[in-house]
Amino acid sequence: MKNFASKLTAVIAAAVMIVSAAGISVSADTETDTPKYTGWSSDEKGWQYLLEGVPYKGKPYKIDGIYYDFSEDGYCEGKYWGWSKTERCYRRGVPYTGWEELYTELNEYGYCEPIGEVYCINGYPMKGEVRREGGIYRFDKISSSSNEKPYYYELDADCSPKISVDAEEILITVNSENYNSYKHIAGSPEKMERLKNGKWESCGNPSEYAVDGTEYVIGGTDDDSPDSATMTFYPKRYMGGNMPAGFYRICIPYVGGYSNEKKEVYAIFEAVPPIEVSMPEEPYLADDSGNTEMSILVKTYSEKKALQPDALADSLKLELMKKTVSGWESCKINGYSTGYTDNENELKIDVKFTADAEYYKAVLNLGGKDYSIAFHTITFTLTSWLEEYSLKSDDIAVSFTVYNEFDDPVKIRTDLIYLYKKENGKWTAVQDKTERYPAEVTPQYTTLNAYYKTALTFDLSDFYDTSKLEAGDYAVFVGGVGYAEFKLTDKEPKSDKLPFEGLKAEDIKEIQLIWHSASLKDLKSSFTKGEYFDRSLDHLRQLKFKRAYEQYSAEFDDFSLDVIVRLNGGKKMTLKFYDPDAAIYNGGTVYTCNWQIYYALKELLFEVNDKTNDPLYRS
């Protein structure tokens, strides 16, 4: 794509929070003096992870419990997602538990074809017979998996999916999934196995574990036959102490059913630390002073009274640290508060601090023990559509392109009310001197998904008395993104713009947008007034063009974006985009133009039709 608009340097004074942790609780790091820096570092090309000053390159690398992809020149390409060479499945950089579809290599047409699904636990695909979600599944090798269920159902066992490593007991429910009224006799849980390198292996002391010998009759033809039974397993007795963290399955023996053979059914769970510290995936916003609000979730799995949310809130001590060349340095916290979430086992901690684009960790002392969780902040740059805007224009609408280049969604503020002017080399707020109305605006936000673009428009004429503004360098602040510069000039508006620039809203009867696609249904919307009308007109007023060529062949094009502006009195003005930076004006001459307009109008149309997050239309 050709960019005919000049790029402007953005002055970044705030950061968007992207959480890099995955709910893993670890003790606080012990720092040692090292001569060279180890940690995240960024430059104009992106993020790198330095190991004693040298950028890491090559295969995925584990950092604070998360695997990241790195390019050959050492730049982070995001959290690892997919199958590793050791046949382990990852999502967002952590081993995945759940169903995962498998694909063949590229076929003769260049597409991957699905060959089935597998069920993964801690990233490892299960093999053999697996009971999940009320069904029995049989899997062969990973290259030829099958998700076909046997024609009969027997028993299914279930327990809490996450259990504290210090748990005294585990309640297990065994259900009959038998629709043919077969009777089953289940025994008490007698052993437990741990998942290691994709295989279930014996653990603990099964020979020393006392089984109570109770038998449970499940199913059958008797009217009073229960369809389920609840039994108890005591992990501390079995392990001789606390369980190490990991995935386990408790084995319950039974006889009966279709074949009347002795079999086992398994209750699968993950043993986790008594306290788990995590951050929500959503990012956080910075205000015009660079202050960031973030949240930390503390979930307790333990039954101990001292580890319940109310007791943890009373004992909480919080420290925020930033990674520097000389090591971890404490950061100033502007304030924090605690409260309970809808989940009775969770404590939420809201924190305010001033963020830079750096690598951080939050250290929490809960119940006398330290827990740390790592994250890093990143900056976004805003690009102004035009080099300068004329103060002599009837309406001044300044627009920017925001592009999320990262593999996480970001939440940004869309009401742009902060205006700054560079005076004597310093940025000075000017909204108080020139604003038409008090800036009592309810904050408006939007979430920008990974690798998506959006357009933001700042109507100077709506908020400010532009006659009080002088020519010079200006900037607006976008919450969650930072500052973006533009120029105001006292020169007459440039003449190389389409006639939309001087168009007034009261002269327009309707603005219509139509997106054509060869493979998908057309999208259409029309506006006569309101927010979308104003946004469309603001975008069109900033069209800047140069004559390109007399004819344009659409023979091989599979999409186009049509813009129709119907004027009062019956006249209309049309644009037809066959390319982001090429448009046909009024059905005649082809012009090259600033491509941001195309993407802004397309995004607006998709937003109206609720297709913003639809991958079919996005592509």
Side-chain angles (χ1 to χ4, degrees):
M1 172 173 36
K2 298 178 181 178
N3 185 352
F4 289 93
S6 299
K7 294 184 178 179
L8 301 180
T9 302
V11 179
I12 301 301
V16 174
M17 185 77 63
I18 298 297
V19 177
S20 299
I24 298 175
S25 297
V26 295
S27 60
D29 297 338
T30 300
E31 298 302 326
T32 58
D33 293 332
T34 55
K36 294 184 179 179
Y37 175 65
T38 292
W40 291 101
S41 177
S42 64
D43 58 24
E44 67 277 2
K45 293 183 180 179
W47 281 87
Q48 294 181 311
Y49 191 78
L50 306 182
L51 297 174
E52 295 188 353
V54 179
Y56 177 83
K57 303 176 182 180
K59 63 182 181 180
Y61 187 70
K62 188 176 183 181
I63 305 168
D64 292 299
I66 307 294
Y67 283 88
Y68 294 87
D69 266 334
F70 290 89
S71 64
E72 292 301 321
D73 55 354
Y75 286 94
C76 182
E77 296 178 332
K79 297 174 184 175
Y80 184 67
W81 187 303
W83 290 95
S84 69
K85 293 182 179 179
T86 56
E87 297 187 345
R88 197 175 182 190
C89 182
Y90 294 85
R91 286 191 180 180
R92 287 189 176 275
V94 295
Y96 173 63
T97 296
W99 290 101
E100 178 67 13
E101 194 163 23
L102 294 175
Y103 293 86
T104 61
E105 298 296 329
L106 296 179
N107 61 20
E108 58 182 315
Y109 303 105
Y111 293 98
C112 292
E113 296 179 341
I115 59 174
E117 287 185 311
V118 293
Y119 190 82
C120 297
I121 297 179
N122 200 27
Y124 296 108
M126 296 293 97
K127 300 179 178 66
E129 187 175 283
V130 181
R131 289 172 172 82
R132 295 308 298 159
E133 300 173 2
I136 306 172
Y137 296 78
R138 287 177 179 164
F139 299 97
D140 299 324
K141 294 181 179 179
I142 191 172
S143 60
S144 58
S145 64
S146 170
N147 64 347
E148 295 181 0
K149 297 181 182 179
Y151 64 89
Y152 62 90
Y153 292 83
E154 295 198 356
L155 298 182
D156 184 60
D158 194 22
C159 64
S160 177
K162 290 189 176 184
I163 296 174
S164 176
V165 295
D166 65 359
E168 298 287 347
E169 60 182 33
I170 299 174
L171 295 180
I172 303 162
T173 300
V174 180
N175 299 292
S176 173
E177 298 292 344
N178 167 19
Y179 295 99
N180 293 319
S181 301
Y182 292 110
K183 181 173 71 173
H184 305 82
I185 300 176
S188 301
E190 59 183 21
K191 65 178 180 179
M192 185 167 69
E193 297 175 335
R194 186 181 183 188
L195 186 66
K196 187 175 182 180
N197 297 328
K199 297 180 180 180
W200 295 106
E201 297 183 357
S202 178
C203 65
N205 306 302
S207 60
E208 299 178 10
Y209 181 70
V211 180
D212 61 21
T214 303
E215 290 186 344
Y216 303 85
V217 178
I218 304 172
T221 57
D222 297 338
D223 293 338
D224 59 350
S225 298
D227 291 329
S228 64
T230 301
M231 50 192 72
T232 305
F233 182 79
Y234 302 94
K236 277 197 171 185
R237 300 181 193 174
Y238 190 87
M239 300 297 294
N242 290 350
M243 296 177 289
F247 282 83
Y248 293 84
R249 68 178 186 180
I250 300 172
C251 311
I252 299 99
Y254 72 92
V255 294
Y258 175 79
S259 61
N260 203 34
E261 297 176 355
K262 184 176 180 179
K263 296 184 178 181
E264 290 179 332
V265 65
Y266 308 103
I268 299 175
F269 68 94
E270 182 182 6
V272 296
I275 294 176
E276 185 178 75
V277 181
S278 65
M279 290 182 177
E281 281 296 329
E282 69 174 27
Y284 300 92
L285 304 172
D287 65 17
D288 60 322
S289 298
N291 293 322
T292 297
E293 296 184 8
M294 54 179 281
S295 293
I296 303 172
L297 293 180
V298 179
K299 188 173 181 66
T300 177
Y301 297 97
S302 178
E303 297 295 330
K304 293 181 178 180
K305 187 176 181 179
L307 299 182
Q308 298 312 299
D310 55 347
L312 294 176
D314 292 338
S315 68
L316 172 66
K317 295 179 182 178
L318 176 64
E319 186 177 12
L320 195 64
M321 307 187 78
K322 180 171 69 173
K323 188 72 171 179
T324 67
V325 176
S326 58
W328 291 100
E329 292 184 357
S330 183
C331 300
K332 179 183 177 182
I333 297 176
N334 299 331
Y336 70 88
S337 60
T338 60
Y340 307 120
T341 68
D342 293 336
N343 187 325
E344 62 181 7
N345 293 324
E346 282 187 352
L347 175 69
K348 184 181 180 183
I349 306 167
D350 293 322
V351 185
K352 294 182 179 180
F353 72 107
T354 302
D356 299 314
E358 293 293 347
Y359 192 63
Y360 291 86
K361 68 178 177 181
V363 181
L364 301 87
N365 187 279
L366 299 162
K369 184 178 180 180
D370 282 345
Y371 298 84
S372 72
I373 184 167
F375 59 92
H376 70 272
T377 59
I378 56 178
T379 55
F380 274 54
T381 57
L382 288 148
T383 304
S384 178
W385 287 7
L386 302 178
E387 294 180 19
E388 58 187 33
Y389 298 83
S390 174
L391 286 168
K392 295 185 178 181
S393 297
D394 293 333
D395 185 37
I396 306 175
V398 183
S399 290
F400 308 91
T401 295
V402 184
Y403 179 39
N404 179 8
E405 303 176 71
F406 302 92
D407 63 349
D408 289 282
V410 287
K411 193 174 182 180
I412 61 176
R413 184 167 172 173
T414 56
D415 51 303
L416 313 180
I417 61 173
Y418 301 107
L419 180 65
Y420 297 82
K421 185 176 186 295
K422 185 174 285 187
E423 297 177 346
N424 299 321
K426 296 183 179 180
W427 290 106
T428 304
V430 297
Q431 62 262 24
D432 293 339
K433 301 177 183 178
T434 61
E435 64 185 355
R436 294 183 186 273
Y437 316 104
E440 296 178 0
V441 179
T442 302
Q444 301 293 321
Y445 303 111
T446 188
T447 297
L448 188 60
N449 286 335
Y451 304 110
Y452 284 9
K453 293 185 179 75
T454 194
L456 299 178
T457 298
F458 188 29
D459 290 311
L460 289 179
S461 305
D462 289 347
F463 287 99
Y464 302 101
D465 181 354
T466 55
S467 65
K468 297 180 180 179
L469 296 176
E470 298 177 350
D473 293 328
Y474 286 81
V476 293
F477 176 83
V478 182
V481 179
Y483 290 90
E485 294 183 60
F486 61 95
K487 292 180 180 295
L488 289 179
T489 176
D490 53 10
K491 299 177 182 178
E492 293 293 334
K494 292 184 178 180
S495 60
D496 60 345
K497 297 179 181 177
L498 288 174
F500 291 108
E501 185 201 34
L503 198 60
K504 297 181 180 180
E506 55 265 28
D507 297 331
I508 301 175
K509 181 179 180 180
E510 177 190 43
I511 297 177
Q512 187 176 25
L513 303 178
I514 307 172
W515 188 71
H516 300 284
S517 171
S519 57
L520 295 170
K521 184 179 178 180
D522 289 354
L523 296 182
K524 301 179 181 180
S525 290
S526 61
F527 318 112
T528 56
K529 59 181 179 179
E531 175 194 355
Y532 292 112
F533 177 91
D534 294 338
R535 286 168 57 185
S536 300
L537 183 56
D538 283 340
H539 297 331
L540 290 172
R541 283 170 172 162
Q542 297 182 74
L543 266 168
K544 179 180 179 182
F545 78 99
K546 293 181 180 178
R547 185 167 176 165
Y549 30 82
E550 295 295 336
Q551 296 181 347
Y552 185 85
S553 174
E555 181 179 355
F556 301 105
D557 288 303
D558 60 356
F559 76 91
S560 68
L561 176 66
D562 294 350
V563 182
I564 303 172
V565 179
R566 302 184 188 278
L567 304 177
N568 297 326
K571 292 184 178 181
K572 68 178 181 180
M573 307 165 74
T574 66
L575 281 177
K576 192 174 190 69
F577 288 90
Y578 282 113
D579 194 78
D581 53 7
I584 299 176
Y585 177 58
N586 278 353
T589 305
V590 178
Y591 297 94
T592 58
C593 54
N594 35 336
W595 54 266
Q596 299 97 328
I597 306 291
Y598 166 83
Y599 284 110
L601 293 172
K602 182 181 175 183
E603 292 285 340
L604 189 150
L605 180 58
F606 282 13
E607 179 183 332
V608 174
N609 287 272
D610 196 25
K611 297 295 183 182
T612 302
N613 296 322
D614 190 328
L616 293 176
Y617 285 90
R618 296 293 310 193
S619 60

